[in-house]
Amino acid sequence: MNVLVSVWEFFQVNILTNPAFFVGFIVLIGYLLLRRPVMDAIAGFIKATVGYLILNVAAGGLVSNFRPILAALNERFGLSAAVIDPYFGQAAAHAAFEKAGQALGMTMIVLVIAFFTNIFLVMFRRITKVRTVFITGHIMVLQSTTALWLMFFAFGNLSTPVIVTLGILLGLYWSVSANLTVELTQNLTDGGGFAVGHQQMFGIWLTDKLAGWLSKKGETKRIEDLNLPGFLKVFNDNTVTTGILMIIFFGIIIGILGPELMASIDPAVGNKSFVFYIIEKSLHFAVYLAILQLGVRMFVAELSESFTGISEKLLPGSMPAVDCAATYGFGHPNAVTLGFLFGALGQFLMILGLVIFKSPVLIITGFVPVFFDNATFAVFANKRGGVRAAMLAPFLSGIIQVLGGAFAVYFFQLAEFGGWHGNFDWALAWPVFGVLLKYGKYIGVAAIALFLLLIPQLQYRRNKEHYFTVAEDYEAYKEATSKA
């Protein structure tokens, strides 16, 4: 028994909660199931793992590059508020549990139950209609922590029934919400072979539904269709566009904050010219975006090809649900920049509204939601509704992120601990789930579970003939739907 526990702990620490190795081993197993030569399988493992590590470096660089600016905004304007960011949310939940005298050791148990709930639903996909395996390990950890606090807040204890219930509920959310993105991601990537498994899947579905309405009537001009005149053609280069827009955007913010304050917070200021500091800081965003797209191309290519082996041999008809950043390589690069900028604009205007109307909770922008959620929405919106939708969808998302985050941090009593999860689904769906749990207890659990289980059934009813084909054989799906 001790040997089994040790093996499980090794798997949990080194693979399950480490997405780079998790993806790498999925690729390795997939290639072996396809009977590829062992060296080819090992090469696929290395390329997929390295690609994901590159993505992690880029994502970490984007966050760390923004953090000194966030800290300076906090200090300059005396803001004592909650940051809407999953890492701040996780830290807030940790602090809340410590104050309540509770241990957080149950988080991994919740994660494991949720993961196997997802596997179970996919195994019986002909009944459940679930086609996706959620494999974004670091997101699974973050969500397990925040959801654990919601259950403790609702039930007042972390008994075995509460833990098991949460694991099943979270597994349902991962399965159903990622499953919502199957058709949308396959259409975006032209059969890329993956879905999105992150923190804004309901948001992606809503974006797709609203994108046509947000675009100009009868016009779906996409970013790639724009024919810029004269000197503006320089903006056809996404690196140039990102660099210029970030210099303007952060130049204004950092300029307001001033060189003295930034020097006291960010050692990178040093003795250099403040103007050159702003330029360097801004251009780092273009650097990390380029790195991120390189990593995405590496691991998605291997994962898509190798998951065929797992799909055919172990979980027929399934597909992996991966980080939302995997979609960036399949949309116009400038969509990512537009999504971030308009999402930030929506957030800043809503934060100003909280100040004007004297909200009991003040929200501070967190980089992960404002960038990754809104960049993702812009990529999908541009595909579906064009450039106008790619601007408006992130803008509306930014408003919802702040409003939902303000409500959640206040209602769930995390304001004093300074953080909330912040991503779109956790600003819209999970606050509603939390209220149902608080006032309905197990009746609320049943209502949420029934709602989630019903979603794939409704998806299936809308497209019975091609529902499974879109995941199993996209080319056949395209041919059949084009004829129809």
Side-chain angles (χ1 to χ4, degrees), residues 40 140 226 438:
D40 286 358
M140 296 160 80
L226 296 177
K438 177 64 176 176

Side-chain angles (χ1 to χ4, degrees), residues 79 348-363 402:
L79 300 177
F348 291 162
L349 288 177
M350 202 64 249
I351 291 169
L352 182 61
L354 294 181
V355 173
I356 291 171
F357 291 102
K358 299 181 180 178
S359 166
V361 175
L362 191 60
I363 293 299
V402 171

Side-chain angles (χ1 to χ4, degrees), residues 195-277:
V196 176
H198 202 253
Q199 321 217 58
Q200 63 293 99
M201 291 86 77
F202 281 118
I204 291 170
W205 182 83
L206 281 171
T207 295
D208 182 77
K209 296 302 175 189
L210 293 175
W213 179 72
L214 292 173
S215 62
K216 285 185 178 181
K217 192 171 182 179
E219 179 186 341
T220 55
K221 182 175 284 187
R222 298 187 177 94
I223 296 171
E224 50 267 43
D225 298 329
L226 296 177
N227 188 16
L228 299 174
F231 75 96
L232 289 179
K233 287 190 175 181
V234 70
F235 286 99
N236 287 325
D237 187 314
N238 69 287
T239 303
V240 174
T241 302
T242 302
I244 290 173
L245 291 179
M246 292 303 174
I247 289 171
I248 295 170
F249 183 77
F250 286 108
I252 294 170
I253 294 174
I254 298 173
I256 292 171
L257 294 170
E260 293 81 10
L261 178 58
M262 290 306 303
S264 67
I265 291 175
D266 189 357
V269 176
N271 297 320
K272 66 182 68 168
S273 161
F274 194 58
V275 172
F276 278 88
Y277 165 76

